[in-house]
PDB file of all heavy atoms in Angstrom:
ATOM      1  N   ILE C  60      78.129 113.119 116.628  1.00 97.00           N
ATOM      2  CA  ILE C  60      79.080 114.076 115.911  1.00 97.00           C
ATOM      3  C   ILE C  60      78.390 115.367 115.687  1.00 97.00           C
ATOM      4  O   ILE C  60      78.918 116.449 115.929  1.00 97.00           O
ATOM      5  CB  ILE C  60      79.577 113.438 114.612  1.00 97.00           C
ATOM      6  CG1 ILE C  60      80.224 112.121 114.790  1.00 97.00           C
ATOM      7  CG2 ILE C  60      80.495 114.375 113.859  1.00 97.00           C
ATOM      8  CD1 ILE C  60      81.492 112.080 115.605  1.00 97.00           C
ATOM      9  N   ILE C  61      77.167 115.315 115.135  1.00 97.00           N
ATOM     10  CA  ILE C  61      76.475 116.518 114.782  1.00 97.00           C
ATOM     11  C   ILE C  61      76.197 117.392 116.035  1.00 97.00           C
ATOM     12  O   ILE C  61      76.297 118.582 116.000  1.00 97.00           O
ATOM     13  CB  ILE C  61      75.111 116.126 114.008  1.00 97.00           C
ATOM     14  CG1 ILE C  61      75.502 115.692 112.614  1.00 97.00           C
ATOM     15  CG2 ILE C  61      74.123 117.276 114.005  1.00 97.00           C
ATOM     16  CD1 ILE C  61      74.470 115.224 111.789  1.00 97.00           C
ATOM     17  N   GLU C  62      75.986 116.682 117.120  1.00 97.00           N
ATOM     18  CA  GLU C  62      75.752 117.513 118.364  1.00 97.00           C
ATOM     19  C   GLU C  62      76.996 118.209 118.845  1.00 97.00           C
ATOM     20  O   GLU C  62      76.920 119.223 119.479  1.00 97.00           O
ATOM     21  CB  GLU C  62      75.199 116.587 119.563  1.00 97.00           C
ATOM     22  CG  GLU C  62      73.729 116.244 119.277  1.00 97.00           C
ATOM     23  CD  GLU C  62      73.287 115.068 120.201  1.00 97.00           C
ATOM     24  OE1 GLU C  62      74.122 114.474 120.863  1.00 97.00           O
ATOM     25  OE2 GLU C  62      72.088 114.797 120.149  1.00 97.00           O
ATOM     26  N   GLN C  63      78.254 117.775 118.387  1.00 96.00           N
ATOM     27  CA  GLN C  63      79.417 118.415 118.800  1.00 96.00           C
ATOM     28  C   GLN C  63      79.938 119.495 117.854  1.00 96.00           C
ATOM     29  O   GLN C  63      80.815 120.305 118.206  1.00 96.00           O
ATOM     30  CB  GLN C  63      80.554 117.369 118.877  1.00 96.00           C
ATOM     31  CG  GLN C  63      80.379 116.257 119.899  1.00 96.00           C
ATOM     32  CD  GLN C  63      81.438 115.216 119.724  1.00 96.00           C
ATOM     33  OE1 GLN C  63      82.601 115.493 119.824  1.00 96.00           O
ATOM     34  NE2 GLN C  63      80.972 114.018 119.451  1.00 96.00           N
ATOM     35  N   LEU C  64      79.241 119.580 116.724  1.00 96.00           N
ATOM     36  CA  LEU C  64      79.647 120.567 115.675  1.00 96.00           C
ATOM     37  C   LEU C  64      79.426 122.036 116.119  1.00 96.00           C
ATOM     38  O   LEU C  64      78.444 122.260 116.991  1.00 96.00           O
ATOM     39  CB  LEU C  64      78.982 120.438 114.406  1.00 96.00           C
ATOM     40  CG  LEU C  64      79.241 119.082 113.596  1.00 96.00           C
ATOM     41  CD1 LEU C  64      78.341 118.926 112.401  1.00 96.00           C
ATOM     42  CD2 LEU C  64      80.698 118.989 113.177  1.00 96.00           C
ATOM     43  N   GLY C  65      80.209 122.988 115.723  1.00 95.00           N
ATOM     44  CA  GLY C  65      79.910 124.375 116.004  1.00 95.00           C
ATOM     45  C   GLY C  65      78.636 124.785 115.294  1.00 95.00           C
ATOM     46  O   GLY C  65      77.926 123.973 114.676  1.00 95.00           O
ATOM     47  N   PRO C  66      78.226 126.025 115.437  1.00 96.00           N
ATOM     48  CA  PRO C  66      76.874 126.481 114.963  1.00 96.00           C
ATOM     49  C   PRO C  66      76.865 126.638 113.511  1.00 96.00           C
ATOM     50  O   PRO C  66      76.729 127.831 112.960  1.00 96.00           O
ATOM     51  CB  PRO C  66      76.696 127.792 115.698  1.00 96.00           C
ATOM     52  CG  PRO C  66      78.047 128.312 115.998  1.00 96.00           C
ATOM     53  CD  PRO C  66      78.931 127.135 116.124  1.00 96.00           C
ATOM     54  N   ILE C  67      77.014 125.583 112.694  1.00 97.00           N
ATOM     55  CA  ILE C  67      77.000 125.690 111.291  1.00 97.00           C
ATOM     56  C   ILE C  67      75.630 125.800 110.701  1.00 97.00           C
ATOM     57  O   ILE C  67      74.667 125.453 111.299  1.00 97.00           O
ATOM     58  CB  ILE C  67      77.823 124.481 110.589  1.00 97.00           C
ATOM     59  CG1 ILE C  67      77.196 123.159 110.938  1.00 97.00           C
ATOM     60  CG2 ILE C  67      79.218 124.470 111.023  1.00 97.00           C
ATOM     61  CD1 ILE C  67      77.677 121.977 110.194  1.00 97.00           C
ATOM     62  N   LYS C  68      75.596 126.227 109.448  1.00 97.00           N
ATOM     63  CA  LYS C  68      74.270 126.406 108.821  1.00 97.00           C
ATOM     64  C   LYS C  68      73.905 125.236 107.885  1.00 97.00           C
ATOM     65  O   LYS C  68      72.781 125.018 107.665  1.00 97.00           O
ATOM     66  CB  LYS C  68      74.398 127.784 107.996  1.00 97.00           C
ATOM     67  CG  LYS C  68      73.056 128.204 107.377  1.00 97.00           C
ATOM     68  CD  LYS C  68      73.164 129.621 106.980  1.00 97.00           C
ATOM     69  CE  LYS C  68      71.832 130.102 106.267  1.00 97.00           C
ATOM     70  NZ  LYS C  68      71.611 131.408 106.218  1.00 97.00           N
ATOM     71  N   PHE C  69      74.879 124.638 107.317  1.00 97.00           N
ATOM     72  CA  PHE C  69      74.538 123.540 106.364  1.00 97.00           C
ATOM     73  C   PHE C  69      75.574 122.419 106.403  1.00 97.00           C
ATOM     74  O   PHE C  69      76.810 122.578 106.668  1.00 97.00           O
ATOM     75  CB  PHE C  69      74.329 124.078 104.962  1.00 97.00           C
ATOM     76  CG  PHE C  69      75.619 124.586 104.262  1.00 97.00           C
ATOM     77  CD1 PHE C  69      76.478 123.771 103.598  1.00 97.00           C
ATOM     78  CD2 PHE C  69      75.898 125.919 104.358  1.00 97.00           C
ATOM     79  CE1 PHE C  69      77.616 124.303 102.966  1.00 97.00           C
ATOM     80  CE2 PHE C  69      77.052 126.427 103.811  1.00 97.00           C
ATOM     81  CZ  PHE C  69      77.898 125.599 103.126  1.00 97.00           C
ATOM     82  N   ILE C  70      75.101 121.241 105.968  1.00 98.00           N
ATOM     83  CA  ILE C  70      75.961 120.146 105.556  1.00 98.00           C
ATOM     84  C   ILE C  70      75.596 119.801 104.155  1.00 98.00           C
ATOM     85  O   ILE C  70      74.354 119.497 103.905  1.00 98.00           O
ATOM     86  CB  ILE C  70      75.760 118.900 106.518  1.00 98.00           C
ATOM     87  CG1 ILE C  70      76.141 119.243 107.962  1.00 98.00           C
ATOM     88  CG2 ILE C  70      76.600 117.696 105.990  1.00 98.00           C
ATOM     89  CD1 ILE C  70      75.757 118.162 108.976  1.00 98.00           C
ATOM     90  N   ALA C  71      76.526 119.815 103.179  1.00 97.00           N
ATOM     91  CA  ALA C  71      76.251 119.584 101.825  1.00 97.00           C
ATOM     92  C   ALA C  71      76.892 118.271 101.349  1.00 97.00           C
ATOM     93  O   ALA C  71      78.133 118.171 101.406  1.00 97.00           O
ATOM     94  CB  ALA C  71      76.733 120.698 100.976  1.00 97.00           C
ATOM     95  N   ARG C  72      76.069 117.302 101.042  1.00 96.00           N
ATOM     96  CA  ARG C  72      76.632 115.959 100.581  1.00 96.00           C
ATOM     97  C   ARG C  72      76.869 115.971  99.103  1.00 96.00           C
ATOM     98  O   ARG C  72      75.964 116.212  98.292  1.00 96.00           O
ATOM     99  CB  ARG C  72      75.705 114.806 101.003  1.00 96.00           C
ATOM    100  CG  ARG C  72      75.920 113.561 100.275  1.00 96.00           C
ATOM    101  CD  ARG C  72      76.586 112.465 101.121  1.00 96.00           C
ATOM    102  NE  ARG C  72      77.553 111.745 100.281  1.00 96.00           N
ATOM    103  CZ  ARG C  72      77.256 110.851  99.405  1.00 96.00           C
ATOM    104  NH1 ARG C  72      76.008 110.493  99.118  1.00 96.00           N
ATOM    105  NH2 ARG C  72      78.224 110.175  98.715  1.00 96.00           N
ATOM    106  N   PHE C  73      78.157 115.829  98.753  1.00 95.00           N
ATOM    107  CA  PHE C  73      78.481 115.781  97.288  1.00 95.00           C
ATOM    108  C   PHE C  73      78.069 114.405  96.745  1.00 95.00           C
ATOM    109  O   PHE C  73      78.877 113.493  96.604  1.00 95.00           O
ATOM    110  CB  PHE C  73      79.962 116.038  97.149  1.00 95.00           C
ATOM    111  CG  PHE C  73      80.410 116.392  95.685  1.00 95.00           C
ATOM    112  CD1 PHE C  73      80.283 117.696  95.193  1.00 95.00           C
ATOM    113  CD2 PHE C  73      80.929 115.356  94.813  1.00 95.00           C
ATOM    114  CE1 PHE C  73      80.690 117.969  93.934  1.00 95.00           C
ATOM    115  CE2 PHE C  73      81.304 115.653  93.565  1.00 95.00           C
ATOM    116  CZ  PHE C  73      81.157 116.945  93.125  1.00 95.00           C
ATOM    117  N   GLY C  74      76.853 114.195  96.442  1.00 92.00           N
ATOM    118  CA  GLY C  74      76.343 112.956  95.895  1.00 92.00           C
ATOM    119  C   GLY C  74      74.805 112.896  96.162  1.00 92.00           C
ATOM    120  O   GLY C  74      74.185 113.924  96.361  1.00 92.00           O
ATOM    121  N   SER C  75      74.369 111.653  96.206  1.00 88.00           N
ATOM    122  CA  SER C  75      72.932 111.440  96.279  1.00 88.00           C
ATOM    123  C   SER C  75      72.488 110.968  97.688  1.00 88.00           C
ATOM    124  O   SER C  75      71.766 111.630  98.417  1.00 88.00           O
ATOM    125  CB  SER C  75      72.489 110.480  95.136  1.00 88.00           C
ATOM    126  OG  SER C  75      71.199 110.109  95.264  1.00 88.00           O
ATOM    127  N   GLY C  76      72.971 109.788  98.064  1.00 86.00           N
ATOM    128  CA  GLY C  76      72.474 109.123  99.299  1.00 86.00           C
ATOM    129  C   GLY C  76      72.894 109.953 100.538  1.00 86.00           C
ATOM    130  O   GLY C  76      73.985 110.640 100.564  1.00 86.00           O
ATOM    131  N   MET C  77      72.068 109.969 101.556  1.00 92.00           N
ATOM    132  CA  MET C  77      72.318 110.772 102.784  1.00 92.00           C
ATOM    133  C   MET C  77      72.511 109.879 103.989  1.00 92.00           C
ATOM    134  O   MET C  77      72.380 110.430 105.109  1.00 92.00           O
ATOM    135  CB  MET C  77      71.166 111.686 103.020  1.00 92.00           C
ATOM    136  CG  MET C  77      70.949 112.743 101.847  1.00 92.00           C
ATOM    137  SD  MET C  77      72.309 113.938 101.889  1.00 92.00           S
ATOM    138  CE  MET C  77      71.722 115.172 103.041  1.00 92.00           C
TER     139      MET C  77
END
Side-chain angles (χ1 to χ4, degrees):
I60 303 297
I61 286 177
E62 284 168 355
Q63 295 172 61
L64 296 173
I67 61 172
K68 187 164 174 160
F69 67 86
I70 297 169
R72 162 106 219 288
F73 194 84
S75 172
M77 295 293 271

